């Protein structure tokens, strides 16, 4: 009898505690949860998000590359060339972050910031697409692009997304140089990527 | 022993079913704005916008709510003002928030500060802090923000207070993804208040 009474008292204590303590979530669809002495109201939040277009070549900031004109495999009578497959640079990766504005797809373009000397050809090609920690619609132009100082498409139409940051994610680039004339690139020469 | 059980049982019924005076929830400002600028968006290519440090915060004063008891009729039919009811009756109010139509891939959070707002009626001198406001800490981050679900069946408790209170500032923080559509959009914020007898 004493044990039974203890159990009853304990149950009542739990019941009392249940009324006294609160819950973390509530079904706000159920009016019974707030109709007695409570209430419900609402207002409107207006959200404005800016469009975002950021593109980057990794590793950053050390993303300059060099093609030496004095190689160990030079041969008399043959052109000086950095464009052999063995001399190609595949260390650079294109990262981007993009939020679409007005549902308009964008593209990524590439060009040089100044004229390229005659006899010197620079080719850029996307050779790999990887997403590590990213979330983006991949649509690369995998054809080799002969660089000029005019915009050319290197990534076709895409929507919002982000590639993940750093080397090893996004679009892997291959740079090759065919330098039959032995020309040097002008000081300040840059390759420019832009989202348009 | 039977008497003890009876008293305990009556206590439960009293707590659970005693009449709570009706009140009115006031949500000031028909709408409020959450606007992103270049300083609160991602700056490193490849990262999502949610990775940025500068998440978008509202100004606390942009969004105020309050809850006061209604006017009523006394035992002898005499009118009792809201102010009189709020002076004599102190209930525990718990505030749950949810949204509807929130933008996809955006995290919306809310917070308020301890004892924010104004005790009603203002003439009450609450020396013992019996009419306190306490933010919920369960699920809150170091800044006191709690994620708000875009789901009415899972409205999240954000804070609770005792007694009538007005002008309680609620601050919102939004962490959008770049996958969240750009431009202007709007969503509804719902505040649900439950009352419990202390």
């Amino acid at each position: 009898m004493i044990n039974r009474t203890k159990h009853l008292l304990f149950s009542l204590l739990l019941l009392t505690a249940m009324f006294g303590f609160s819950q973390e979530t509530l079904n706000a669809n159920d009016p019974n949860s707030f109709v007695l002495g409570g209430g419900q109201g609402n207002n409107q939040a207006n959200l404005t998000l800016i469009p975002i277009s950021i593109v980057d070549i990794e590793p950053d900031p050390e993303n300059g590359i060099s093609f030496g004109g004095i190689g160990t495999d030079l041969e008399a009578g043959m052109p000086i060339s950095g464009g052999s497959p063995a001399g190609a640079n595949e260390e650079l990766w294109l990262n981007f972050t993009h939020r679409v504005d007005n549902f308009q797809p964008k593209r990524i373009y590439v060009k040089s910031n100044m004229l390229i000397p005659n006899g010197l050809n620079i080719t850029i090609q996307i050779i790999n697409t990887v997403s590590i920690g990213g979330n983006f619609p991949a649509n690369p132009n995998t054809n080799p692009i002969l660089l000029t100082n005019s915009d050319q498409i290197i990534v076709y139409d895409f929507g919002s997304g982000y590639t993940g940051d750093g080397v090893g994610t996004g679009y892997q680039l291959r740079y090759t140089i065919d330098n039959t004339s032995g020309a040097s690139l002008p000081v300040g020469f840059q390759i420019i990527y832009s989202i348009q | 022993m039977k008497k003890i059980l009876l008293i305990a049982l009556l206590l439960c019924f009293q707590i659970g079913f005693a009449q709570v005076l009706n009140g009115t929830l006031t949500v000031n400002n028909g709408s409020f704005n959450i606007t992103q600028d270049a300083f609160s968006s991602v700056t490193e290519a490849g990262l999502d916008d949610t990775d940025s440090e500068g998440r978008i915060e509202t100004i606390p004063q942009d969004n105020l709510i309050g809850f006061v008891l209604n006017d009523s009729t006394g035992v002898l039919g005499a009118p009792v003002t809201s102010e009189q009811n709020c002076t004599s009756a102190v209930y525990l109010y718990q505030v749950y928030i949810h949204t509807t139509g929130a933008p996809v891939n955006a995290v919306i959070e809310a917070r308020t500060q301890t004892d924010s707002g104004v005790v009603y009626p203002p003439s009450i001198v609450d020396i013992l802090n019996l009419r306190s406001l306490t933010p919920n800490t369960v699920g809150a981050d170091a800044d006191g923000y709690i994620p708000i679900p875009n789901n009415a069946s899972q409205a999240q408790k954000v804070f609770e207070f005792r007694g009538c209170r007005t002008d309680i500032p609620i601050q919102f923080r939004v962490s959008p993804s770049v996958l969240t559509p750009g431009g202007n959009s709007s969503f509804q914020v719902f505040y649900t208040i439950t009352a419990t007898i202390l």
Side-chain angles (χ1 to χ4, degrees):
Chain A
M1 181 63 185
I2 291 174
N3 277 344
R4 194 175 168 188
T5 306
K6 277 183 181 174
H7 283 143
L8 273 171
L9 277 172
F10 184 65
S11 300
L12 286 169
L13 191 65
L14 279 179
L15 195 60
T16 308
M18 190 177 70
F19 280 117
F21 288 101
S22 62
Q23 57 194 76
E24 293 305 314
T25 60
L26 177 81
N27 182 0
N29 281 326
D30 180 9
N32 292 324
S33 61
F34 57 85
V35 72
L36 290 176
Q40 190 176 68
N42 69 294
N43 59 2
Q44 179 170 299
N46 302 315
L47 178 65
T48 302
L49 298 179
I50 59 174
I52 297 171
S53 294
I54 317 171
V55 66
D56 188 13
I57 302 299
E58 296 280 353
D60 186 25
E62 301 298 327
N63 58 9
I65 55 172
S66 300
F67 290 88
I70 310 298
T72 55
D73 57 348
L74 292 180
E75 180 63 37
M78 297 296 288
I80 299 170
S81 175
S84 65
N89 183 299
E90 299 179 354
E91 296 172 1
L92 301 182
W93 291 75
L94 187 156
N95 294 169
F96 74 84
T97 291
H98 179 59
R99 176 185 289 134
V100 168
D101 189 28
N102 293 325
F103 304 99
Q104 291 297 312
K106 296 282 183 161
R107 296 168 174 171
I108 298 179
Y109 292 83
V110 61
K111 69 176 183 179
S112 62
N113 67 335
M114 54 183 75
L115 288 170
I116 298 172
N118 289 332
L120 196 160
N121 292 325
I122 300 175
T123 303
I124 301 173
Q125 183 182 12
I126 290 177
I127 58 170
N128 203 2
T129 301
V130 177
S131 176
I132 298 175
N135 185 351
F136 66 102
N139 196 11
N141 174 8
T142 55
N143 297 312
I145 297 169
L146 184 61
L147 190 69
T148 69
N149 63 340
S150 297
D151 279 322
Q152 297 182 77
I153 299 169
I154 192 165
V155 178
Y156 295 118
D157 292 9
F158 63 98
S160 297
Y162 54 100
T163 57
D165 183 33
V167 172
T169 188
Y171 294 115
Q172 186 179 12
L173 303 170
R174 172 185 289 152
Y175 284 67
T176 54
I177 291 185
D178 183 11
N179 191 3
T180 55
S181 62
S184 295
L185 289 170
V187 174
F189 180 86
Q190 292 180 337
I191 300 172
I192 298 171
Y193 295 81
S194 61
I195 298 177
Q196 300 178 41
Chain B
M1 185 54 69
K2 282 182 181 175
K3 284 181 181 174
I4 294 173
L5 279 173
L6 186 64
I7 290 168
L9 194 63
L10 285 174
L11 186 65
C12 284
F13 275 107
Q14 187 195 358
I15 291 172
F17 301 105
Q19 183 65 46
V20 182
L21 293 174
N22 285 325
T24 300
L25 168 65
T26 304
V27 180
N28 294 348
N29 302 331
S31 65
F32 60 101
N33 299 320
I34 307 168
T35 304
Q36 186 178 41
D37 57 31
F39 298 105
S40 58
S41 63
V42 62
T43 56
E44 175 65 27
L47 296 178
D48 193 7
D49 209 13
T50 53
D51 301 325
S52 62
E53 291 297 319
R55 289 169 286 195
I56 318 163
E57 282 185 313
T58 61
I59 299 166
Q61 286 71 26
D62 280 354
N63 201 52
L64 306 173
I65 70 166
F67 192 88
V68 299
L69 295 173
N70 298 337
D71 294 340
S72 63
T73 304
V75 179
L76 301 175
V80 183
T81 65
S82 167
E83 194 168 323
Q84 289 169 326
N85 277 330
C86 282
T87 302
S88 58
V90 179
Y91 304 129
L92 171 66
Y93 296 105
Q94 297 175 82
V95 180
Y96 297 80
I97 302 179
H98 75 276
T99 60
T100 60
V104 295
N105 296 305
V107 177
I108 296 166
E109 301 163 297
R111 72 173 179 182
T112 191
Q113 305 295 333
T114 300
D115 291 335
S116 60
V118 179
V119 171
Y120 182 85
S123 57
I124 291 176
V125 180
D126 188 25
I127 298 172
L128 299 176
N129 202 27
L130 299 176
R131 296 169 184 253
S132 59
L133 183 149
T134 309
N136 186 16
T137 56
V138 179
D141 68 7
D143 297 321
Y145 278 107
I146 296 182
I148 303 301
N150 189 44
N151 180 353
S153 67
Q154 294 292 317
Q156 172 65 47
K157 181 182 166 186
V158 177
F159 61 93
E160 64 183 32
F161 58 94
R162 294 160 191 264
C164 300
R165 206 171 190 92
T166 63
D167 297 331
I168 303 167
I170 300 178
Q171 194 171 16
F172 287 89
R173 184 171 70 183
V174 177
S175 303
S177 166
V178 292
L179 302 176
T180 308
N184 301 317
S185 63
S186 62
F187 58 93
Q188 298 294 317
V189 181
F190 284 83
Y191 311 85
T192 304
I193 293 187
T194 64
T196 309
I197 293 177
L198 289 167

